[in-house]
Amino acid sequence: MTFLTIPDNYAPVDGRLFYQFETGGESLDLDIKVIDLLANHVIGSKRIYDSAYGEIDIAPILRKMFAYSLVDSETGTSTSYGLSKRVCVEVNGERSDVRVFMAVDIADSSSPCVLGLDDGTQRQIAFGESEQIFFFAPDGGTVEVTAAGGGVSDRRSYESQPDESLQIFYIRPSDFPPQTESINVVFMLPGKVASIEYRLVRRPSSARRMSWVDTKGIMRFHTFPTCSPKTVRFDRERIYGPSGYVDIDVRTETLLRLVSDFEPRARVEKLAGILSSRFIWLRDAGEWVRMCAVSAETAIACDGSLNRAEIEVKPVSRDVRL
């Protein structure tokens, strides 16, 4: 069995991942298996009858296996929770070369990188908030964190996770001294150094922290300073009986309208990407709640060169009160 085409290593699963192969001229029944090598488990299969040639696109198989989750974790490095898969394709018992495919689209997989730097390297975060930063480091690396404020400097070092290409760095200001005013995070990767500086700020009581996954698979974070009054919508199921209409089920939905600060146009356009995201979370009462966008459009208010976005969301699960 000869493999004619194999996808590139570290390719994203949002495109096509074609494997093409041939028997060398002999027509055979081709048993094709897609194998997750970490779990040593067959995750997909296909059978082609009486053919000397075959192909399979494994991207749809992998896409349904990737699911983002948002958890609160202490400051440090972590694996990407299954957002990359080490797989091979087996045809009639013969295996292809091993490949790692990822949920995140990395523009250049030939060198390490920190994802999401287009959100800026100067950021704001409140003491009770947190953030996740994706970074690509197949050859390892170190993350240096320096928290400063009140005449105190707290410096810490974190090593990347072994045998993991796509990784997450968690930053949680509450892990540092309460007088902290700024946190500088420096990614020291082979041939690459990148830094993000966080300035600690106070948020109004109406502020709501959101996270979502953009079209490239990168997790984004933003705090909306204003949340308009909630709307609670009731859906009733009724039947008509001898004594008239009777409610047999009452379901509720809580709708929230979030309003951003006035921001540069590029930032507001990123916020508008929340509407097309399959994974949206809202921080509420110390927990992340899965949300979905209510409408397919956002209102953008303009004031000179600055813009403001208004987005309406609701919990994915009914009967969740916020």
Side-chain angles (χ1 to χ4, degrees):
M1 191 67 59
T2 302
F3 285 88
L4 304 174
T5 301
I6 298 178
D8 292 335
N9 210 17
Y10 305 120
V13 298
D14 62 345
R16 306 182 103 185
L17 300 175
F18 262 115
Y19 284 78
Q20 296 174 314
F21 37 86
E22 65 178 7
T23 65
E26 183 181 4
S27 294
L28 300 171
D29 293 341
L30 304 177
D31 288 312
I32 309 164
K33 298 177 182 178
V34 183
I35 302 173
D36 180 345
L37 294 174
L38 183 61
N40 195 26
H41 178 68
V42 176
I43 58 177
S45 62
K46 179 180 179 180
R47 187 176 177 85
I48 300 175
Y49 294 94
D50 192 25
S51 177
Y53 168 86
E55 64 181 27
I56 184 173
D57 178 12
I58 70 169
I61 298 172
L62 294 177
R63 275 196 293 266
K64 65 184 181 182
M65 299 188 65
F66 290 155
Y68 287 80
S69 62
L70 189 56
V71 297
D72 281 328
S73 181
E74 64 183 17
T75 299
T77 59
S78 175
T79 62
S80 56
Y81 292 107
L83 295 180
S84 63
K85 291 288 183 184
R86 186 181 299 270
V87 304
C88 74
V89 169
E90 181 180 288
V91 183
N92 288 4
E94 297 188 33
R95 293 188 173 186
S96 68
D97 292 338
V98 176
R99 289 290 186 266
V100 176
F101 300 118
M102 300 189 295
V104 175
D105 186 357
I106 295 177
D108 182 9
S109 61
S110 63
S111 61
C113 63
V114 179
L115 306 176
L117 290 180
D118 54 338
D119 274 346
T121 58
Q122 304 286 326
R123 304 181 184 181
Q124 295 181 348
I125 195 169
F127 201 74
E129 297 176 348
S130 62
E131 191 160 309
Q132 298 180 16
I133 308 167
F134 283 23
F135 65 103
F136 177 65
D139 298 321
T142 303
V143 184
E144 300 282 349
V145 179
T146 303
V152 177
S153 181
D154 183 356
R155 186 172 182 177
R156 308 179 188 182
S157 180
Y158 304 89
E159 295 298 322
S160 63
Q161 298 292 311
D163 302 321
E164 286 286 337
S165 51
L166 182 64
Q167 305 190 31
I168 297 174
F169 185 77
Y170 290 94
I171 182 72
R172 190 171 65 176
S174 60
D175 293 332
F176 298 92
Q179 65 267 34
T180 297
E181 298 173 357
S182 66
I183 301 174
N184 191 36
V185 182
V186 180
F187 294 84
M188 305 179 68
L189 310 177
K192 175 79 172 183
V193 176
S195 65
I196 300 174
E197 183 175 6
Y198 292 90
R199 183 168 61 88
L200 268 71
V201 297
R202 294 182 180 273
R203 304 286 194 194
S205 59
S206 60
R208 294 296 183 99
R209 184 76 163 169
M210 289 200 71
S211 178
W212 70 100
V213 177
D214 69 5
T215 55
K216 292 186 176 181
I218 301 172
M219 193 171 285
R220 307 283 184 170
F221 291 82
H222 186 83
T223 299
F224 288 82
T226 304
C227 175
S228 66
K230 298 178 290 189
T231 300
V232 181
R233 185 167 62 195
F234 295 88
D235 291 333
R236 299 177 182 269
E237 277 191 47
R238 315 181 80 187
I239 61 173
Y240 186 78
S243 57
Y245 284 102
V246 178
D247 292 337
I248 61 171
D249 188 24
V250 179
R251 292 171 295 180
T252 64
E253 287 185 329
T254 304
L255 278 63
L256 296 176
R257 179 175 290 273
L258 303 169
V259 182
S260 74
D261 274 328
F262 281 99
E263 305 270 5
R265 181 77 181 187
R267 181 59 181 168
V268 171
E269 289 177 352
K270 289 185 185 301
L271 296 180
I274 294 174
L275 300 179
S276 60
S277 176
R278 295 188 300 118
F279 299 98
I280 306 171
W281 295 268
L282 176 77
R283 183 76 173 174
D284 183 73
E287 296 183 355
W288 289 103
V289 180
R290 275 291 303 275
M291 309 292 286
C292 63
V294 174
S295 63
E297 59 184 20
T298 180
I300 298 179
C302 299
D303 182 11
S305 61
L306 298 177
N307 304 264
R308 184 176 65 185
E310 297 181 12
I311 296 172
E312 196 170 55
V313 295
K314 66 178 182 179
V316 170
S317 300
R318 288 177 178 265
D319 301 319
V320 172
R321 293 296 189 94
L322 300 174

